[in-house]
Amino acid sequence: MRAHEAGALHGQAGDHGPAWLRVPDDVNALVPVLWSEHVARAEDGALRVAGLDVRELAQEFGTPAYILDEADFRNRARAFREAFAPATVYYAAKAFFSVAVARWVLEEGLSVDVSTGGELAVALAAGVPGERLVFHGNNRSAAELGRAMDANVARIVVDSYDEIERVARVAAERGIRQRVIVRVTVGVEAHTHEFIATAHEDQKFGLSLAGGAADEAVRRILAAPSLELVGLHSHIGSQIFDTAGFEIATRRLLGMLHRLRGEHGIELPEVDLGGGFGIAYTTQDDPQPPRVLAESMRAIVERECAALGMDVPHVSIEPGRAIAGPTTFTLYEVGTVKDVALDGGRRRTYVAVDGGMSDNIRTALYDASYSATLASRRSDAGPVLSRVVGKHCESGDVVVKDEFLPADVAPGDLVAVPGTGAYCRSMASNYNHVPRPPVVAVRDGAARVLLRRETEQDLLRLDTGLDVEEGA
Ligand SMILES: *Cc1c(COP(=O)(O)O)cnc(C)c1O
């Protein structure tokens, strides 16, 4: 991940925070790129989403809650599909998934990328047909693979020799020929604005191109009668803003595709270029719209194919974050506010909310940056450097490391953190026995719960201690 000027979580940052953080002219103003399309601050000072007042949403659904702008989600999904057509756009379910989300994605003409039996189960429950699914993963059991095959999953991406053997065996047991794609590690690793083209390959995913493992995988698949090799896949990273990394990855992938013709006489019809398109979490991020990404990726593929003298293969992409991320904000209620003295007479305000690392682990896990705003009212107080923290027993329980919030933020206020639609609910935990928040979809002035709030009863249901006592 990017090195932050703020350094480690235990802040050396002064009153001004990290270098990229601007003192806002108006602490009430929303920065449009950070918010979904239908979020605005109303005349009365409180945020509205698709016409609904966040104070009423908090009243009805409680806090914390993930508030998802459904039309914005659909628009982003459709924008990717239209911009990249005729490419297949697989929505990466791991970003955020539910039955309703699977149906929106289908209705908008996308397909779905699942990577575990659990994600597959949700897709199938939602009625996603097998031909609209690609199955990823690096260690799927025979049972998971079997369920995928029984659902006629169109493509299984294989990630190791063991999986090739396992997929071949499970397919042979069913008397079918399963279509597979090889996940190739092309030696490009991209994060944010930078990438390394000679990334060392000391990681669990994929089969190395440079090391020959990808070629060996191809040989093994071609030797397995129950497998049909249809393409090559590469996923170079996440939260990428620049297509330069994709360019090198695409060149290497297409180079391999071309070489396989000569060596094995096979013409693989597909390349899957993965996901990883970046979104704005703070004002330092500057994402490109799908149309611009698509144009530059199309140009890259066409140029490379022309140079190799081959037809353009069918292309797939797998955006997750770029569709789900910006659609959602987390609505929290402030519980305590603490002014902490730092070195040199500087101060930082700690605003503790009623959630934390259980509903957003990305700050602690990736040193990710987020933004926040006072959501329930407008304030005339000056901006102070604040840190939004949670209620967990962990000093790393930080949601937003650095943000300017009004100096009068107080218990009972609502704070909204945008950009939490991807990898927040899907990575949520029950740490400290905190029940996971609901996901509430809002559209045209109506709200509906996609995933309900967990209850303490839900947590106790897994705990067999009471059963034992009752049975004794
Ligand atoms: C995580 C992942 C994606 C989606 O990544 P985003 O950053 O959410 O776009 C796509 N494909 C594969 C194989 C992945 O592992």
Side-chain angles (χ1 to χ4, degrees), residues 92 94 113 136 183 233 235 238 275-277 318-321 423:
K94 72 178 198 258
D113 147 7
H136 274 285
R183 178 158 179 172
H233 172 275
H235 174 73
S238 268
F277 309 105
E318 303 166 338
R321 182 193 318 267
Y423 306 109

Side-chain angles (χ1 to χ4, degrees), residues 235-272:
H235 174 73
I236 57 171
S238 268
Q239 187 60 355
I240 305 166
F241 290 95
D242 192 316
T243 49
F246 284 107
E247 175 154 15
I248 295 180
T250 304
R251 185 178 306 147
R252 292 181 182 171
L253 211 58
L254 291 172
M256 178 170 174
L257 205 76
H258 184 256
R259 187 164 49 73
L260 291 177
R261 284 181 165 188
E263 290 173 10
H264 299 282
I266 48 166
E267 292 203 20
L268 301 183
E270 300 179 20
V271 288
D272 185 333

Side-chain angles (χ1 to χ4, degrees), residues 144-325:
E144 285 174 305
L145 293 167
R147 263 187 284 151
M149 288 180 209
D150 292 341
N152 296 316
V153 163
R155 278 134 188 71
I156 295 180
V157 181
V158 291
D159 186 81
S160 65
Y161 302 149
D162 287 323
E163 275 200 340
I164 291 169
E165 209 183 295
R166 197 173 300 155
V167 175
R169 177 165 45 80
V170 175
E173 280 164 14
R174 284 165 170 73
I176 61 165
R177 195 144 181 256
Q178 176 63 45
R179 292 196 176 133
V180 296
I181 292 179
V182 175
R183 178 158 179 172
V184 180
T185 312
V186 292
V188 177
E189 198 183 309
H191 297 293
T192 70
H193 296 277
E194 275 143 41
F195 71 94
I196 328 170
T198 52
H200 72 111
E201 298 179 348
D202 190 3
Q203 51 114 345
K204 73 170 186 171
F205 289 116
L207 290 146
S208 164
L209 178 59
D215 279 274
E216 175 59 20
V218 168
R219 278 191 287 277
R220 293 184 186 207
I221 292 167
L222 294 178
S226 62
L227 301 180
E228 179 188 356
L229 182 63
V230 293
L232 302 176
H233 172 275
S234 136
H235 174 73
I236 57 171
S238 268
Q239 187 60 355
I240 305 166
F241 290 95
D242 192 316
T243 49
F246 284 107
E247 175 154 15
I248 295 180
T250 304
R251 185 178 306 147
R252 292 181 182 171
L253 211 58
L254 291 172
M256 178 170 174
L257 205 76
H258 184 256
R259 187 164 49 73
L260 291 177
R261 284 181 165 188
E263 290 173 10
H264 299 282
I266 48 166
E267 292 203 20
L268 301 183
E270 300 179 20
V271 288
D272 185 333
L273 300 176
F277 309 105
I279 66 165
Y281 288 107
T282 68
T283 53
Q284 66 185 326
D285 299 324
D286 184 19
Q288 291 173 324
R291 184 177 39 77
V292 175
L293 293 170
E295 273 166 26
S296 89
M297 288 182 69
R298 188 174 298 124
I300 290 166
V301 172
E302 282 171 6
R303 191 166 58 236
E304 294 304 323
C305 287
L308 293 164
M310 63 184 218
D311 291 342
V312 173
H314 184 76
V315 173
S316 303
I317 56 159
E318 303 166 338
R321 182 193 318 267
I323 293 174

Side-chain angles (χ1 to χ4, degrees), residues 36-38 50 68-83 89 91 96 98-111 126 132 290 319-328 441-444 446 448 450:
S36 68
E37 193 183 337
H38 306 98
L68 189 161
D69 181 340
E70 177 181 341
D72 188 71
F73 190 109
R74 287 176 175 273
N75 290 345
R76 286 176 201 277
R78 195 177 328 120
F80 266 98
R81 204 235 323 129
E82 288 173 355
V89 180
Y91 169 65
F96 172 63
S98 75
V99 167
V101 164
R103 290 184 179 152
W104 299 344
V105 163
L106 273 196
E107 284 164 19
E108 301 303 336
L110 283 73
S111 295
R132 304 272 290 268
R321 182 193 318 267
I323 293 174
T327 66
T328 301
V442 178
R443 185 185 184 183
D444 298 333
R448 79 171 155 134
L450 302 188

Side-chain angles (χ1 to χ4, degrees), residues 309-363:
M310 63 184 218
D311 291 342
V312 173
H314 184 76
V315 173
S316 303
I317 56 159
E318 303 166 338
R321 182 193 318 267
I323 293 174
T327 66
T328 301
F329 61 84
T330 312
L331 190 61
Y332 298 104
E333 185 177 305
V334 175
T336 63
V337 178
K338 194 185 280 183
D339 195 27
V340 175
L342 311 174
D343 298 343
R346 295 166 304 139
R347 313 195 70 80
R348 187 200 303 279
T349 301
Y350 277 79
V351 176
V353 296
D354 50 357
M357 65 193 300
S358 57
D359 58 71
N360 187 349
I361 191 63
R362 292 191 66 259
T363 306

Side-chain angles (χ1 to χ4, degrees), residues 26 28-30 35 38-56 329 373-380:
D26 174 5
N28 301 297
L30 301 183
W35 297 87
H38 306 98
V39 174
R41 194 179 294 279
E43 279 295 298
D44 62 18
L47 298 196
R48 299 288 189 283
V49 49
L52 295 184
D53 188 321
V54 292
R55 294 167 298 187
E56 284 164 22
F329 61 84
T373 196
L374 174 58
S376 48
R377 64 184 172 90
R378 191 187 297 282
S379 169
D380 296 324

